[in-house]
Structure formats: C-alpha cells, structure tokens
Amino acid sequence: MFTMRELADLVRQIDDDTFAAQMGPFALVQRPPPGSREDEARHNLQTETRVQPAMRLRGAPSSVDFGDLIVATLPPPLPDGSMQLTIGRSPDCDLVVHDTSVSKHHASVVWDGEEAVLSELGSVNGTFINGLKMKDRWTLRDLDELTFGESHFVYLVASTLHGRLQRMSR
C-alpha cells in the first residue's frame, strides 16, 4: 500500500500507460484507518466480526487530506488480463482490511480485462456502493464509493488516479 503523496513522486516520471501497466487497471483508495497500529491490526485479525447496528446510517467519512489516502496495490493480472482481488480481514485476502466490522472474506473484485465486478461474499455487515447496500454483484464505475464494514474506499480506473496524482504533484 502507498499513500497518494508517495505515488505522486512516481507519476511525475511516467506516462498514463506506463502507470497503468505498473499499478494495474484500477485502484481501490482507502482512508487511513483511525489510530491504526500494527499490534491493534494483528488483534483485529483474530477476533470475530463486530456486528454493526442494523439501522446505522452509512454516510461519507469526514474529510481527510488527499495526500494521506492509501492506494491498495493489486495482484498481478493473469496471462489473459483478468485478475481477482479478495477483500477482507483474513491474512489470505489480497486486500487485508484491519477493521473488526469487516468479515474475514468480505467481498471480491473480478477484472475481466475491460471492467470490474464487485461481488458480496456473504459478509456479516454487508457491502455498500455509493451508500446503498448491494445484493450480490455490481459492475463498478469510476469514482464509485465502496464501504466494507466501517472502511471506506473509492474505485478509480488507472487513468483517473494518474490524472489526480499529476494535479497533486504540481
């Protein structure tokens, strides 16, 4: 995982296509977990998923400096250009989220070479797209807001992320 500030240095040196080849076709950008520490993260992996109240209002998190956002690195694509990214609290997930409201295997994103589809994996607290609880699958669009438990992410295609990082590095 990288912060936006760290990636901004890289973007100054490479074009959009090279950036996409190195970072992957899309990115999930996360707010840094509040007060996250390595020992707390290890503890969170071993506990049961904390169930959120059913009527909890899901809204956008409070503002945070763009440079402090975290970009999740993706696994390399398969030879056919596809990839699968498993999201959850378990250490065997591709994207490990240190949040006890996230299930061990919460959701997955499958990239088929052209688009990304988010699938719910039977999580305790559900997966939300743009504030609405999703049922089974959702074809992701650039700038969709994803919520797993209490962790907030934004789905960005590589060219959008590259452009935002370029503007940040000026």
Side-chain angles (χ1 to χ4, degrees):
M1 293 220 189
F2 299 96
T3 66
M4 290 288 197
R5 279 191 188 81
E6 293 167 332
L7 285 179
D9 292 335
L10 173 67
V11 166
R12 282 186 227 130
Q13 304 165 25
I14 60 176
D15 64 20
D16 193 40
D17 291 333
T18 305
F19 180 78
Q22 289 186 5
M23 289 299 296
F26 67 89
L28 293 180
V29 178
Q30 181 186 20
R31 293 172 46 83
S36 62
R37 297 187 333 256
E38 192 64 33
D39 57 340
E40 181 182 343
R42 265 190 245 111
H43 171 74
N44 287 346
L45 287 172
Q46 297 170 359
T47 60
E48 292 299 313
T49 303
R50 178 175 37 83
V51 179
Q52 296 177 316
M55 297 303 291
R56 184 177 181 279
L57 177 63
R58 303 222 178 232
S62 59
S63 64
V64 65
D65 185 277
F66 184 75
D68 291 334
L69 295 175
I70 300 168
V71 179
T73 55
L74 303 176
L78 299 171
D80 67 358
S82 68
M83 66 175 28
Q84 179 167 342
L85 178 75
T86 306
I87 302 157
R89 205 176 67 239
S90 176
D92 66 341
C93 289
D94 300 304
L95 174 54
V96 177
V97 182
H98 302 294
D99 175 349
T100 56
S101 66
V102 172
S103 293
K104 289 182 180 179
H105 295 97
H106 199 101
S108 72
V109 177
V110 175
W111 175 263
D112 67 4
E114 294 185 26
E115 63 183 13
V117 176
L118 177 68
S119 297
E120 167 65 37
L121 298 179
S123 67
V124 171
N125 290 311
T127 300
F128 291 74
I129 306 289
N130 302 320
L132 301 173
K133 189 169 187 175
M134 79 176 254
K135 302 239 185 232
D136 296 320
R137 299 166 44 99
W138 180 269
T139 300
L140 292 169
R141 295 177 306 233
D142 199 22
L143 301 173
D144 272 345
E145 295 179 21
L146 316 176
T147 304
F148 311 108
E150 293 180 0
S151 296
H152 297 268
F153 290 80
V154 175
Y155 170 85
L156 296 170
V157 296
S159 60
T160 300
L161 177 57
H162 186 262
R164 287 181 177 228
L165 288 167
Q166 279 186 319
R167 287 190 295 276
M168 181 182 161
S169 67
R170 291 180 186 156

